[in-house]
């Protein structure tokens, strides 16, 4: 601050200059979807959550793997561009708010998710990679790398009518149900 700054000048001009001065930016972090699934750590997850991790075309997350929402998100990723699914992340309005760690036996959790992948989606999505990420505070987050499928469209059972199936695609805010006519016309 200059010795020539008056009280008014100090309050108005100097604060404005400090506020508009370009800040040194830290180098951009690599997006979680760009990191190899075997290299994702708890620190990566914490940093992404702190930076405002949001649902996207290639990223889905959920606190628990309830059957329909889980297979809906996996099939929507496979039906579009593929991506990353994180199970054990709390969210509100599409923004991650923290960890909601799975607390069961890690092997049992992984087997349960693998079974849901094979039985809940028709045809099953090939090439999905699963990895458990242990958290220092206890529990785990499961990361699933879902490739873009060449066998699309993948459908899931309608939770309101087990005799019918639904096809989902992915948009910026998450998974959406496709109209049957759109499924027939979609360039799979």
């Amino acid at each position: 601050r200059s010795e020539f700054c008056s009280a008014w000048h100090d309050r108005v001009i100097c604060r404005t200059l400090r506020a508009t001065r370009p800040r040194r930016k830290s180098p951009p972090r690599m997006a979680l979807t760009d990191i190899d699934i075997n290299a994702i750590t708890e620190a990566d997850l914490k940093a992404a959550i702190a930076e405002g991790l949001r649902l996207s075309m290639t990223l889905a997350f959920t606190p628990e793997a309830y059957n329909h929402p889980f297979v809906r998100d996996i099939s929507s990723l496979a039906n579009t561009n593929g991506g990353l699914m994180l199970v054990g992340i709390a969210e509100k309005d599409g923004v991650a708010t923290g960890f909601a760690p799975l607390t069961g036996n890690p092997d049992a959790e992984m087997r349960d998710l693998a079974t849901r992948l094979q039985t809940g989606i028709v045809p099953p999505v090939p090439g999905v990679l699963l990895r458990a990420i242990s958290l220092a505070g206890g529990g785990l987050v499961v990361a699933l790398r879902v490739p873009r499928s060449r066998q699309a469209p993948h459908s899931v059972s309608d939770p309101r009518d087990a005799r019918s199936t639904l096809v989902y695609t992915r948009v910026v805010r998450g998974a959406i149900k496709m109209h049957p006519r759109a499924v027939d016309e979609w360039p799979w």
Side-chain angles (χ1 to χ4, degrees), residues 112-135:
D112 181 47
L113 293 176
T115 300
R116 289 182 193 182
L117 287 173
Q118 292 299 311
T119 60
I121 303 172
V122 178
V125 179
V128 176
L129 302 175
L130 287 90
R131 177 167 177 262
I133 301 167
S134 296
L135 302 176

PDB file of all heavy atoms in Angstrom, residues 112-135:
ATOM      1  N   ASP A 112     -21.340 -58.671  -5.074  1.00  0.00           N
ATOM      2  CA  ASP A 112     -22.725 -58.224  -5.235  1.00  0.00           C
ATOM      3  C   ASP A 112     -22.865 -57.275  -6.431  1.00  0.00           C
ATOM      4  O   ASP A 112     -23.780 -57.417  -7.247  1.00  0.00           O
ATOM      5  CB  ASP A 112     -23.200 -57.537  -3.952  1.00  0.00           C
ATOM      6  CG  ASP A 112     -24.640 -57.079  -4.037  1.00  0.00           C
ATOM      7  OD1 ASP A 112     -25.492 -57.879  -4.485  1.00  0.00           O
ATOM      8  OD2 ASP A 112     -24.918 -55.928  -3.663  1.00  0.00           O
ATOM      9  N   LEU A 113     -21.946 -56.318  -6.566  1.00  0.00           N
ATOM     10  CA  LEU A 113     -22.004 -55.389  -7.689  1.00  0.00           C
ATOM     11  C   LEU A 113     -21.766 -56.112  -9.013  1.00  0.00           C
ATOM     12  O   LEU A 113     -22.446 -55.845 -10.008  1.00  0.00           O
ATOM     13  CB  LEU A 113     -20.994 -54.261  -7.504  1.00  0.00           C
ATOM     14  CG  LEU A 113     -21.271 -53.310  -6.338  1.00  0.00           C
ATOM     15  CD1 LEU A 113     -20.144 -52.290  -6.216  1.00  0.00           C
ATOM     16  CD2 LEU A 113     -22.600 -52.613  -6.504  1.00  0.00           C
ATOM     17  N   ALA A 114     -20.819 -57.050  -9.036  1.00  0.00           N
ATOM     18  CA  ALA A 114     -20.545 -57.816 -10.260  1.00  0.00           C
ATOM     19  C   ALA A 114     -21.768 -58.647 -10.657  1.00  0.00           C
ATOM     20  O   ALA A 114     -22.091 -58.753 -11.849  1.00  0.00           O
ATOM     21  CB  ALA A 114     -19.323 -58.708 -10.066  1.00  0.00           C
ATOM     22  N   THR A 115     -22.462 -59.203  -9.679  1.00  0.00           N
ATOM     23  CA  THR A 115     -23.670 -59.977  -9.970  1.00  0.00           C
ATOM     24  C   THR A 115     -24.753 -59.075 -10.548  1.00  0.00           C
ATOM     25  O   THR A 115     -25.427 -59.440 -11.513  1.00  0.00           O
ATOM     26  CB  THR A 115     -24.182 -60.675  -8.693  1.00  0.00           C
ATOM     27  OG1 THR A 115     -23.157 -61.545  -8.210  1.00  0.00           O
ATOM     28  CG2 THR A 115     -25.449 -61.461  -8.948  1.00  0.00           C
ATOM     29  N   ARG A 116     -24.928 -57.898  -9.970  1.00  0.00           N
ATOM     30  CA  ARG A 116     -25.930 -56.956 -10.492  1.00  0.00           C
ATOM     31  C   ARG A 116     -25.611 -56.543 -11.929  1.00  0.00           C
ATOM     32  O   ARG A 116     -26.509 -56.363 -12.742  1.00  0.00           O
ATOM     33  CB  ARG A 116     -26.013 -55.720  -9.614  1.00  0.00           C
ATOM     34  CG  ARG A 116     -26.654 -55.999  -8.292  1.00  0.00           C
ATOM     35  CD  ARG A 116     -26.761 -54.757  -7.479  1.00  0.00           C
ATOM     36  NE  ARG A 116     -27.088 -55.113  -6.116  1.00  0.00           N
ATOM     37  CZ  ARG A 116     -27.295 -54.243  -5.169  1.00  0.00           C
ATOM     38  NH1 ARG A 116     -27.207 -52.959  -5.425  1.00  0.00           N
ATOM     39  NH2 ARG A 116     -27.576 -54.639  -3.952  1.00  0.00           N
ATOM     40  N   LEU A 117     -24.319 -56.384 -12.217  1.00  0.00           N
ATOM     41  CA  LEU A 117     -23.922 -56.033 -13.585  1.00  0.00           C
ATOM     42  C   LEU A 117     -24.311 -57.130 -14.570  1.00  0.00           C
ATOM     43  O   LEU A 117     -24.734 -56.856 -15.687  1.00  0.00           O
ATOM     44  CB  LEU A 117     -22.410 -55.811 -13.660  1.00  0.00           C
ATOM     45  CG  LEU A 117     -21.872 -54.535 -13.036  1.00  0.00           C
ATOM     46  CD1 LEU A 117     -20.350 -54.559 -13.036  1.00  0.00           C
ATOM     47  CD2 LEU A 117     -22.387 -53.319 -13.783  1.00  0.00           C
ATOM     48  N   GLN A 118     -24.152 -58.388 -14.161  1.00  0.00           N
ATOM     49  CA  GLN A 118     -24.424 -59.510 -15.051  1.00  0.00           C
ATOM     50  C   GLN A 118     -25.908 -59.827 -15.176  1.00  0.00           C
ATOM     51  O   GLN A 118     -26.365 -60.248 -16.227  1.00  0.00           O
ATOM     52  CB  GLN A 118     -23.673 -60.762 -14.576  1.00  0.00           C
ATOM     53  CG  GLN A 118     -22.179 -60.652 -14.710  1.00  0.00           C
ATOM     54  CD  GLN A 118     -21.759 -60.444 -16.159  1.00  0.00           C
ATOM     55  OE1 GLN A 118     -22.182 -61.153 -17.051  1.00  0.00           O
ATOM     56  NE2 GLN A 118     -20.930 -59.439 -16.389  1.00  0.00           N
ATOM     57  N   THR A 119     -26.658 -59.631 -14.104  1.00  0.00           N
ATOM     58  CA  THR A 119     -28.067 -60.035 -14.118  1.00  0.00           C
ATOM     59  C   THR A 119     -29.050 -58.880 -14.323  1.00  0.00           C
ATOM     60  O   THR A 119     -30.183 -59.114 -14.716  1.00  0.00           O
ATOM     61  CB  THR A 119     -28.441 -60.755 -12.804  1.00  0.00           C
ATOM     62  OG1 THR A 119     -28.230 -59.860 -11.710  1.00  0.00           O
ATOM     63  CG2 THR A 119     -27.604 -62.015 -12.621  1.00  0.00           C
ATOM     64  N   GLY A 120     -28.629 -57.648 -14.065  1.00  0.00           N
ATOM     65  CA  GLY A 120     -29.562 -56.524 -14.118  1.00  0.00           C
ATOM     66  C   GLY A 120     -29.593 -55.772 -15.434  1.00  0.00           C
ATOM     67  O   GLY A 120     -30.439 -54.913 -15.635  1.00  0.00           O
ATOM     68  N   ILE A 121     -28.652 -56.062 -16.335  1.00  0.00           N
ATOM     69  CA  ILE A 121     -28.562 -55.339 -17.599  1.00  0.00           C
ATOM     70  C   ILE A 121     -28.579 -56.350 -18.741  1.00  0.00           C
ATOM     71  O   ILE A 121     -27.857 -57.342 -18.700  1.00  0.00           O
ATOM     72  CB  ILE A 121     -27.274 -54.490 -17.667  1.00  0.00           C
ATOM     73  CG1 ILE A 121     -27.213 -53.514 -16.486  1.00  0.00           C
ATOM     74  CG2 ILE A 121     -27.177 -53.752 -18.989  1.00  0.00           C
ATOM     75  CD1 ILE A 121     -25.900 -52.780 -16.353  1.00  0.00           C
ATOM     76  N   VAL A 122     -29.413 -56.086 -19.767  1.00  0.00           N
ATOM     77  CA  VAL A 122     -29.529 -57.005 -20.903  1.00  0.00           C
ATOM     78  C   VAL A 122     -29.192 -56.253 -22.178  1.00  0.00           C
ATOM     79  O   VAL A 122     -29.822 -55.230 -22.468  1.00  0.00           O
ATOM     80  CB  VAL A 122     -30.965 -57.578 -20.991  1.00  0.00           C
ATOM     81  CG1 VAL A 122     -31.106 -58.486 -22.194  1.00  0.00           C
ATOM     82  CG2 VAL A 122     -31.320 -58.319 -19.714  1.00  0.00           C
ATOM     83  N   PRO A 123     -28.235 -56.709 -22.979  1.00  0.00           N
ATOM     84  CA  PRO A 123     -27.233 -57.701 -22.634  1.00  0.00           C
ATOM     85  C   PRO A 123     -26.258 -57.122 -21.608  1.00  0.00           C
ATOM     86  O   PRO A 123     -26.129 -55.904 -21.508  1.00  0.00           O
ATOM     87  CB  PRO A 123     -26.531 -57.975 -23.971  1.00  0.00           C
ATOM     88  CG  PRO A 123     -26.671 -56.705 -24.735  1.00  0.00           C
ATOM     89  CD  PRO A 123     -27.999 -56.129 -24.313  1.00  0.00           C
ATOM     90  N   PRO A 124     -25.571 -57.989 -20.851  1.00  0.00           N
ATOM     91  CA  PRO A 124     -24.601 -57.473 -19.875  1.00  0.00           C
ATOM     92  C   PRO A 124     -23.543 -56.610 -20.565  1.00  0.00           C
ATOM     93  O   PRO A 124     -23.169 -56.866 -21.709  1.00  0.00           O
ATOM     94  CB  PRO A 124     -23.971 -58.745 -19.288  1.00  0.00           C
ATOM     95  CG  PRO A 124     -24.967 -59.820 -19.559  1.00  0.00           C
ATOM     96  CD  PRO A 124     -25.656 -59.436 -20.837  1.00  0.00           C
ATOM     97  N   VAL A 125     -23.085 -55.595 -19.872  1.00  0.00           N
ATOM     98  CA  VAL A 125     -22.072 -54.688 -20.426  1.00  0.00           C
ATOM     99  C   VAL A 125     -20.701 -55.356 -20.290  1.00  0.00           C
ATOM    100  O   VAL A 125     -20.262 -55.636 -19.175  1.00  0.00           O
ATOM    101  CB  VAL A 125     -22.076 -53.325 -19.694  1.00  0.00           C
ATOM    102  CG1 VAL A 125     -21.002 -52.415 -20.258  1.00  0.00           C
ATOM    103  CG2 VAL A 125     -23.444 -52.679 -19.760  1.00  0.00           C
ATOM    104  N   PRO A 126     -20.023 -55.606 -21.417  1.00  0.00           N
ATOM    105  CA  PRO A 126     -18.714 -56.245 -21.332  1.00  0.00           C
ATOM    106  C   PRO A 126     -17.618 -55.245 -20.955  1.00  0.00           C
ATOM    107  O   PRO A 126     -17.709 -54.064 -21.282  1.00  0.00           O
ATOM    108  CB  PRO A 126     -18.490 -56.783 -22.755  1.00  0.00           C
ATOM    109  CG  PRO A 126     -19.267 -55.851 -23.617  1.00  0.00           C
ATOM    110  CD  PRO A 126     -20.452 -55.409 -22.798  1.00  0.00           C
ATOM    111  N   GLY A 127     -16.605 -55.720 -20.267  1.00  0.00           N
ATOM    112  CA  GLY A 127     -15.423 -54.907 -20.000  1.00  0.00           C
ATOM    113  C   GLY A 127     -15.501 -53.935 -18.853  1.00  0.00           C
ATOM    114  O   GLY A 127     -14.637 -53.064 -18.730  1.00  0.00           O
ATOM    115  N   VAL A 128     -16.492 -54.049 -17.975  1.00  0.00           N
ATOM    116  CA  VAL A 128     -16.575 -53.145 -16.823  1.00  0.00           C
ATOM    117  C   VAL A 128     -15.503 -53.552 -15.813  1.00  0.00           C
ATOM    118  O   VAL A 128     -15.382 -54.717 -15.451  1.00  0.00           O
ATOM    119  CB  VAL A 128     -17.968 -53.188 -16.161  1.00  0.00           C
ATOM    120  CG1 VAL A 128     -18.001 -52.313 -14.918  1.00  0.00           C
ATOM    121  CG2 VAL A 128     -19.044 -52.754 -17.139  1.00  0.00           C
ATOM    122  N   LEU A 129     -14.708 -52.578 -15.374  1.00  0.00           N
ATOM    123  CA  LEU A 129     -13.666 -52.826 -14.378  1.00  0.00           C
ATOM    124  C   LEU A 129     -14.144 -52.300 -13.033  1.00  0.00           C
ATOM    125  O   LEU A 129     -14.671 -51.193 -12.952  1.00  0.00           O
ATOM    126  CB  LEU A 129     -12.375 -52.119 -14.767  1.00  0.00           C
ATOM    127  CG  LEU A 129     -11.773 -52.479 -16.122  1.00  0.00           C
ATOM    128  CD1 LEU A 129     -10.568 -51.596 -16.414  1.00  0.00           C
ATOM    129  CD2 LEU A 129     -11.391 -53.943 -16.153  1.00  0.00           C
ATOM    130  N   LEU A 130     -13.950 -53.101 -11.980  1.00  0.00           N
ATOM    131  CA  LEU A 130     -14.344 -52.709 -10.628  1.00  0.00           C
ATOM    132  C   LEU A 130     -13.101 -52.614  -9.764  1.00  0.00           C
ATOM    133  O   LEU A 130     -12.186 -53.437  -9.889  1.00  0.00           O
ATOM    134  CB  LEU A 130     -15.267 -53.757 -10.002  1.00  0.00           C
ATOM    135  CG  LEU A 130     -16.685 -53.857 -10.497  1.00  0.00           C
ATOM    136  CD1 LEU A 130     -16.765 -54.819 -11.632  1.00  0.00           C
ATOM    137  CD2 LEU A 130     -17.584 -54.285  -9.377  1.00  0.00           C
ATOM    138  N   ARG A 131     -13.093 -51.638  -8.857  1.00  0.00           N
ATOM    139  CA  ARG A 131     -11.986 -51.507  -7.911  1.00  0.00           C
ATOM    140  C   ARG A 131     -12.490 -50.906  -6.612  1.00  0.00           C
ATOM    141  O   ARG A 131     -13.204 -49.904  -6.618  1.00  0.00           O
ATOM    142  CB  ARG A 131     -10.899 -50.614  -8.479  1.00  0.00           C
ATOM    143  CG  ARG A 131      -9.775 -50.394  -7.495  1.00  0.00           C
ATOM    144  CD  ARG A 131      -8.561 -49.773  -8.128  1.00  0.00           C
ATOM    145  NE  ARG A 131      -7.579 -49.540  -7.103  1.00  0.00           N
ATOM    146  CZ  ARG A 131      -7.382 -48.369  -6.506  1.00  0.00           C
ATOM    147  NH1 ARG A 131      -8.095 -47.330  -6.865  1.00  0.00           N
ATOM    148  NH2 ARG A 131      -6.472 -48.241  -5.572  1.00  0.00           N
ATOM    149  N   ALA A 132     -12.113 -51.527  -5.513  1.00  0.00           N
ATOM    150  CA  ALA A 132     -12.453 -51.011  -4.185  1.00  0.00           C
ATOM    151  C   ALA A 132     -11.355 -50.046  -3.741  1.00  0.00           C
ATOM    152  O   ALA A 132     -10.168 -50.368  -3.834  1.00  0.00           O
ATOM    153  CB  ALA A 132     -12.588 -52.152  -3.188  1.00  0.00           C
ATOM    154  N   ILE A 133     -11.753 -48.874  -3.277  1.00  0.00           N
ATOM    155  CA  ILE A 133     -10.817 -47.876  -2.771  1.00  0.00           C
ATOM    156  C   ILE A 133     -11.076 -47.749  -1.277  1.00  0.00           C
ATOM    157  O   ILE A 133     -12.131 -47.266  -0.858  1.00  0.00           O
ATOM    158  CB  ILE A 133     -11.013 -46.518  -3.477  1.00  0.00           C
ATOM    159  CG1 ILE A 133     -10.820 -46.683  -4.987  1.00  0.00           C
ATOM    160  CG2 ILE A 133     -10.065 -45.473  -2.906  1.00  0.00           C
ATOM    161  CD1 ILE A 133     -11.294 -45.500  -5.795  1.00  0.00           C
ATOM    162  N   SER A 134     -10.123 -48.227  -0.464  1.00  0.00           N
ATOM    163  CA  SER A 134     -10.268 -48.173   0.998  1.00  0.00           C
ATOM    164  C   SER A 134     -10.099 -46.746   1.486  1.00  0.00           C
ATOM    165  O   SER A 134      -9.254 -46.004   0.985  1.00  0.00           O
ATOM    166  CB  SER A 134      -9.230 -49.070   1.666  1.00  0.00           C
ATOM    167  OG  SER A 134      -9.448 -50.402   1.308  1.00  0.00           O
ATOM    168  N   LEU A 135     -10.907 -46.385   2.475  1.00  0.00           N
ATOM    169  CA  LEU A 135     -10.842 -45.047   3.056  1.00  0.00           C
ATOM    170  C   LEU A 135     -10.177 -45.119   4.423  1.00  0.00           C
ATOM    171  O   LEU A 135     -10.403 -46.069   5.180  1.00  0.00           O
ATOM    172  CB  LEU A 135     -12.243 -44.449   3.181  1.00  0.00           C
ATOM    173  CG  LEU A 135     -13.045 -44.342   1.876  1.00  0.00           C
ATOM    174  CD1 LEU A 135     -14.447 -43.818   2.155  1.00  0.00           C
ATOM    175  CD2 LEU A 135     -12.326 -43.471   0.878  1.00  0.00           C
TER     176      LEU A 135
END
